Amino acid sequence: SGINAEYGSSGINAEYGDPDNALRHTTYPVPKEWPKSDYSELELEQDQAPYEVYGKPEKFWYNLESVGSLKPESIVLTGLQVLKKKLMDLQNHYNNEIAKEALYIG
């Protein structure tokens, strides 16, 4: 379950800093048929940016929608708290598994 499932009537979408697919994290069978991002910096006749071998995403865009019962700031901050707890639980589980393997004598 994601954040949407935990907050019911709110929605969050995100896009990281490669709106023109310069990093090639997505492979388009026919690049010209793919819809352009709202954050695209390409000219109209371009389908995707030239490949950047060593490029890294540096920008992240978020869009949050709510029915108004919660402030957007509250939704984001609570979502971050939930994410932090899930990551801590994952790390604890991983550490426990490593400790079990270290104690096992075959």
Side-chain angles (χ1 to χ4, degrees):
S1 69
I3 292 174
N4 279 352
E6 295 183 32
Y7 295 104
S9 56
S10 64
I12 299 175
N13 65 22
E15 182 176 337
Y16 72 95
D18 188 22
D20 299 318
N21 199 33
L23 306 179
R24 298 300 191 269
H25 291 163
T26 303
T27 304
Y28 304 141
V30 183
K32 67 181 177 183
E33 292 179 359
W34 196 263
K36 284 193 179 181
S37 165
D38 292 340
Y39 306 103
S40 176
E41 297 176 357
L42 295 176
E43 299 296 327
L44 290 175
E45 65 277 356
Q46 291 179 291
D47 299 323
Q48 59 185 357
Y51 182 44
E52 293 181 22
V53 178
Y54 301 107
K56 294 181 182 178
E58 296 178 0
K59 295 180 182 178
F60 297 82
W61 296 278
Y62 297 91
N63 181 23
L64 180 119
E65 296 178 9
S66 172
V67 295
S69 59
L70 295 172
K71 291 182 180 180
E73 296 87 359
S74 176
I75 294 170
V76 171
L77 293 174
T78 304
L80 290 171
Q81 289 172 347
V82 169
L83 178 61
K84 181 178 177 182
K85 181 182 182 325
K86 288 182 178 187
L87 290 172
M88 289 173 54
D89 290 347
L90 180 64
Q91 183 177 25
N92 288 336
H93 180 73
Y94 175 77
N95 289 339
N96 290 338
E97 290 297 314
I98 294 296
K100 284 181 193 176
E101 288 180 15
L103 293 175
Y104 176 74
I105 299 174

